[in-house]
Amino acid sequence: MVEELVGAVAAVGAGALVYLASAARVVKQYERGVVFRLGRLHGQARRPGFTLVVPAVDRMRKVNLQIVTMPIPAQEGITRDNVTVRVDAVVYFKVVDPAAAIVNVEDYRFAVSQMAQTSLRSIIGKSELDDLLSNREKLNQGLELMIDSPAVEWGVTIDRVEIKDVSLPDTMKRSMARQAEADRERRARLINADAEYQASKKLSQAAQQMADTPSALQLRLLQTVMAVAAEKNSTLVLPIPVELLRFLERGGGQPSATAAEHADEAVDRAEPAELAEGAADRVEEAEDAMERLRRAVEQ
């Protein structure tokens, strides 16, 4: 009798262990368990931890609540300004309603993927090439809204969408490169023209200042000679203006205006022999002026 009782207890214990093993479920922290009892949704989604279901009656499906990173295959389309491009993107989404993600859609991952591809092609057709290249933030927001609208019914929320790359045909790349080069050349010419304009204004002011002060021109000429002489050149070509000779004559004590008037009167009254003698005197004066100039340069 005792042995039969012990055997019955052992059998009941073994059956209980088998039942518990078949009914026990463990839901991870980032998961939720959706239970179907005889094909019908039963209660709320099971929380993380240890839970029990009725064997052969209940069936539990676990839904991952982590953010899913799904790349969108590159989509080829024609922009609003008739440019063929290939655009690929990535979408980040997560499940917020486990029951809706299981009941309302057959495969929420596949549904989100197809919706993202369709929305990306639609965005390409509505946008211009410049927007795809430079205004991606606005396009990302528009693409996110287009995908998120139907995904709400699937228990899925779109966290963000990012356009990864925009591929252009080689001919379009060359055209854009030529356009950028022409634009840079235009800016360079404008900058050069503006620099020439500013330099001409400064040179005009400098010329006016030198006209008011003739000695400044002579000093500038001497500075130029010194700068050229510092290069150790074997040949030096130096233009000598008439004003410089007059300046040197004034430095030698001969008033230039009076000398010029006397020279003109002498030419009017002179005989040919006197003219020849006067020409020789002027040659000597020019040689003296050149000698004084050479000494000034050496000093």
Side-chain angles (χ1 to χ4, degrees):
M1 186 68 180
V2 176
E3 293 178 358
E4 293 178 357
L5 182 60
V6 172
V9 171
V12 172
L17 291 176
V18 172
Y19 177 84
L20 183 62
S22 61
R25 297 290 187 273
V26 176
V27 181
K28 296 180 181 179
Q29 180 66 37
Y30 54 85
E31 293 178 338
R32 296 294 184 270
V34 181
V35 178
F36 292 90
R37 176 164 295 176
L38 299 177
R40 295 172 61 91
L41 183 64
H42 178 69
Q44 299 293 328
R46 301 294 176 89
R47 305 289 297 177
F50 181 81
T51 185
L52 294 174
V53 297
V54 179
V57 176
D58 293 344
R59 184 171 60 89
M60 186 174 70
R61 292 186 59 179
K62 298 178 181 179
V63 181
N64 194 332
L65 301 185
Q66 291 177 314
I67 294 178
V68 179
T69 303
M70 178 179 294
I72 304 176
Q75 302 297 312
E76 184 173 353
I78 300 177
T79 61
R80 193 167 60 181
D81 50 353
N82 298 324
V83 179
T84 302
V85 296
R86 287 177 60 88
V87 182
D88 58 347
V90 58
V91 56
Y92 301 88
F93 67 94
K94 64 179 179 179
V95 177
V96 294
D97 188 351
I102 298 299
V103 175
N104 295 345
V105 63
E106 180 181 4
D107 187 350
Y108 65 89
R109 290 175 178 265
F110 181 74
V112 171
S113 176
Q114 294 301 311
M115 178 57 65
Q117 296 179 35
T118 305
S119 301
L120 181 57
R121 286 194 295 268
S122 178
I123 284 292
I124 294 174
K126 295 179 180 178
S127 305
E128 296 184 356
L129 180 60
D130 293 339
D131 295 333
L132 289 175
L133 296 177
S134 60
N135 196 13
R136 293 188 181 182
E137 195 67 30
K138 182 179 179 180
L139 296 180
N140 292 337
Q141 295 176 1
L143 188 59
E144 180 180 348
L145 291 176
M146 293 180 65
I147 302 174
D148 190 59
S149 296
V152 173
E153 299 179 0
W154 306 334
V156 176
T157 181
I158 306 301
D159 187 69
R160 63 185 305 174
V161 181
E162 294 288 344
I163 295 177
K164 294 171 57 179
D165 188 25
V166 178
S167 300
L168 300 175
D170 293 338
T171 54
M172 180 57 64
K173 291 180 180 179
R174 289 193 292 268
S175 299
M176 294 177 65
R178 290 195 297 269
Q179 179 183 1
E181 183 179 357
D183 185 66
R184 287 193 296 268
E185 185 177 357
R186 179 183 63 85
R187 292 200 300 266
R189 290 184 177 180
L190 290 177
I191 294 173
N192 189 21
D194 185 65
E196 292 290 342
Y197 173 71
Q198 295 180 7
S200 63
K201 291 180 63 176
K202 294 297 182 181
L203 289 175
S204 176
Q205 296 176 4
Q208 184 177 1
Q209 184 66 27
M210 288 182 179
D212 297 339
T213 309
S215 60
L217 180 62
Q218 318 306 328
L219 295 176
R220 181 57 183 160
L221 180 60
L222 294 177
Q223 290 178 357
T224 304
V225 172
M226 293 178 63
V228 175
E231 299 295 333
K232 299 180 180 179
N233 295 325
S234 58
T235 303
L236 176 62
V237 179
L238 180 63
I240 302 177
V242 179
E243 290 80 1
L244 178 60
L245 296 178
R246 293 176 179 176
F247 172 74
L248 295 176
E249 288 177 358
R250 287 197 298 269
Q254 299 177 0
S256 58
T258 305
E261 293 175 357
H262 292 172
D264 294 338
E265 294 175 359
V267 170
D268 295 337
R269 297 192 303 266
E271 298 293 335
E274 294 177 355
L275 291 175
E277 184 179 357
D281 294 339
R282 285 193 293 273
V283 170
E284 292 180 358
E285 292 177 358
E287 292 179 351
D288 294 339
M290 290 294 295
E291 182 65 21
R292 288 196 296 271
L293 176 61
R294 185 182 63 81
R295 293 176 182 176
V297 172
E298 292 178 353
Q299 292 177 358

